């Protein structure tokens, strides 16, 4: 079953997964600093919100019949229930390794690779032009290069439609 979401949510989710997997790969040798960096960005709170089904429903977008056909043909703005289940499993694993003071290196690498795969899959589902997707790939992360411009997730989702607004004016990112 396909679950349709708002475009800023899909874009923000892709940027969040990219930020997390890039931070993990660069912080494997500096685990305490990585955990501090991710706690400043409230990564665990975002993971908890994504895992909470009632919170996630705010970002669902029931499309019209014509939009559903368009999105299905273009493969945009949806996540299948199987993909969402896999995403939740990986977010649970990510949460567990971030809470662990000394996780196993192989487990960290496995989680990071799965997050990278999910990020690439979800990035293709963003109904936006290539420039916006390119900007989303330049999300800020741990030990980022100083000579490249990086963007916060709020800036990336703000490109699509101002701010990521939901029914009750809350933002996830």
């Amino acid at each position: 079953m396909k679950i349709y979401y708002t475009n800023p949510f899909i874009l923000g989710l892709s940027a969040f997964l990219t930020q997390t997997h890039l931070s993990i790969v660069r912080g494997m040798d500096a685990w305490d600093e990585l955990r501090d960096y991710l706690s400043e960005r409230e990564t665990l709170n975002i993971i908890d919100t994504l895992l909470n089904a009632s919170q996630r429903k705010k970002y669902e977008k029931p499309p019209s019949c014509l939009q559903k056909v368009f999105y299905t043909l273009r493969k945009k703005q949806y996540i299948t229930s199987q993909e969402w289940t896999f995403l939740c499993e990986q977010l649970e694993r990510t949460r567990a390794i971030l809470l662990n003071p000394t996780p196993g290196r192989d487990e960290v690498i496995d989680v990071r690779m799965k997050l990278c795969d999910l990020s690439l899959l979800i990035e293709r589902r963003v109904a936006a032009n290539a420039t916006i997707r390119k900007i989303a790939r330049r999300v800020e992360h741990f030990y980022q290069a100083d000579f490249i411009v990086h963007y916060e997730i709020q800036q990336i989702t703000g490109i699509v439609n101002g701010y990521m607004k939901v029914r009750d004016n809350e933002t996830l990112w």
Side-chain angles (χ1 to χ4, degrees):
M1 182 176 138
K2 296 177 184 171
I3 305 167
Y4 294 87
Y5 292 96
T6 61
N7 204 30
F9 178 79
I10 297 286
L11 184 66
L13 181 60
S14 172
F16 172 73
L17 293 172
T18 301
Q19 178 185 56
T20 305
H21 86 78
L22 288 175
S23 295
I24 288 173
V25 76
R26 284 162 176 78
M28 279 198 275
D29 296 327
W31 195 253
D32 291 331
E33 291 88 1
L34 170 68
R35 289 176 62 196
D36 291 341
Y37 176 83
L38 291 176
S39 69
E40 288 173 10
R41 274 135 189 88
E42 299 183 357
T43 301
L44 292 176
N45 292 339
I46 293 173
I47 289 174
D48 290 340
T49 303
L50 289 171
L51 292 174
N52 186 348
S54 63
Q55 292 286 329
R56 191 175 61 235
K57 290 209 181 284
K58 289 187 232 176
Y59 306 103
E60 290 182 13
K61 174 188 171 188
S64 66
C65 292
L66 187 59
Q67 286 176 326
K68 193 179 279 191
V69 170
F70 176 75
Y71 292 150
T72 302
L73 291 175
R74 301 281 316 257
K75 298 182 181 181
K76 302 290 183 190
Q77 282 191 247
Y78 70 85
I79 300 174
T80 65
S81 54
Q82 291 174 332
E83 292 165 350
W84 194 261
T85 302
F86 184 68
L87 173 67
C88 288
E89 290 170 5
Q90 297 314 308
L91 289 175
E92 284 285 348
R93 288 180 67 197
T94 303
R95 188 177 192 288
I97 66 167
L98 290 177
L99 292 174
N100 188 348
T102 55
R105 190 168 180 87
D106 291 337
E107 181 182 2
V108 172
I109 291 170
D110 184 51
V111 167
R112 181 254 174 201
M113 292 303 295
K114 295 220 164 96
L115 288 177
C116 180
D117 292 340
L118 283 166
S119 173
L120 293 173
L121 172 79
I122 293 172
E123 180 186 309
R124 289 189 297 255
R125 303 273 172 82
V126 174
N129 63 27
T131 305
I132 292 175
R133 288 195 299 271
K134 186 176 181 180
I135 289 172
R137 281 186 225 119
R138 290 188 164 197
V139 67
E140 65 177 357
H141 55 276
F142 186 66
Y143 283 168
Q144 64 193 16
D146 292 333
F147 56 88
I148 299 174
V149 176
H150 290 91
Y151 302 97
E152 294 179 8
I153 295 176
Q154 294 88 349
Q155 291 172 320
I156 294 168
T157 56
I159 291 170
V160 177
N161 68 349
Y163 291 100
M164 186 176 157
K165 294 182 180 176
V166 292
R167 292 182 199 140
D168 57 358
N169 294 328
E170 291 181 18
T171 60
L172 177 61
W173 317 113

